[in-house]
Coordinates of all heavy atoms in Angstrom, one line a residue:
Chain M
R10 N 67.7 164.1 142.0 CA 68.3 163.1 141.1 C 69.6 162.5 141.7 O 70.0 161.3 141.3 CB 68.6 163.7 139.7 CG 68.4 162.7 138.6 CD 68.5 163.4 137.2 NE 67.9 164.7 137.1 CZ 68.3 165.6 136.3 NH1 69.3 165.5 135.6 NH2 67.6 166.9 136.4
A11 N 70.2 163.3 142.5 CA 71.5 162.8 143.1 C 71.1 162.1 144.4 O 72.0 161.6 145.1 CB 72.5 163.9 143.4
G12 N 70.0 161.9 144.6 CA 69.5 161.1 145.8 C 69.5 161.9 147.1 O 69.7 161.3 148.2
H13 N 69.3 163.1 147.1 CA 69.3 163.9 148.2 C 67.8 164.3 148.5 O 67.0 164.5 147.7 CB 70.1 165.2 148.0 CG 71.5 164.9 147.9 ND1 72.2 164.6 149.1 CD2 72.4 164.8 147.0 CE1 73.6 164.3 148.8 NE2 73.6 164.4 147.5
R14 N 67.5 164.4 149.9 CA 66.2 164.8 150.2 C 66.2 166.3 150.5 O 67.1 167.0 150.4 CB 65.9 164.2 151.7 CG 65.8 162.6 151.5 CD 65.5 161.9 152.8 NE 65.5 160.7 152.6 CZ 65.4 159.7 153.7 NH1 65.3 160.2 155.0 NH2 65.4 158.5 153.5
S15 N 64.9 166.8 150.6 CA 64.8 168.2 150.9 C 64.9 168.6 152.3 O 64.5 167.8 153.1 CB 63.4 168.7 150.3 OG 63.1 169.9 150.6
G16 N 65.7 169.7 152.6 CA 65.7 170.1 154.0 C 65.5 171.6 154.1 O 65.9 172.4 153.2
A17 N 65.0 172.1 155.3 CA 64.8 173.4 155.4 C 66.0 174.3 155.3 O 66.0 175.3 154.5 CB 64.1 173.6 156.8
A18 N 67.1 174.0 155.9 CA 68.3 174.8 155.9 C 68.8 174.8 154.4 O 69.1 176.0 154.0 CB 69.3 174.1 156.8
R19 N 69.0 173.8 153.7 CA 69.5 173.8 152.4 C 68.6 174.5 151.5 O 69.0 175.4 150.7 CB 69.7 172.4 152.0 CG 70.6 172.4 150.6 CD 71.1 171.1 150.4 NE 70.1 170.1 150.3 CZ 70.4 168.8 150.7 NH1 71.5 168.5 151.4 NH2 69.5 167.9 150.6
N20 N 67.3 174.4 151.7 CA 66.3 175.2 150.9 C 66.5 176.7 151.1 O 66.4 177.3 150.0 CB 65.0 174.6 151.2 CG 64.7 173.3 150.6 OD1 65.3 172.8 149.8 ND2 63.5 172.7 151.1
A21 N 66.6 177.0 152.2 CA 66.8 178.5 152.7 C 68.1 179.0 152.0 O 68.1 180.2 151.4 CB 66.9 178.6 154.0

Side-chain angles (χ1 to χ4, degrees):
Chain M
R10 214 176 315 155
H13 292 281
R14 295 178 183 175
S15 174
R19 194 160 57 214
N20 289 342

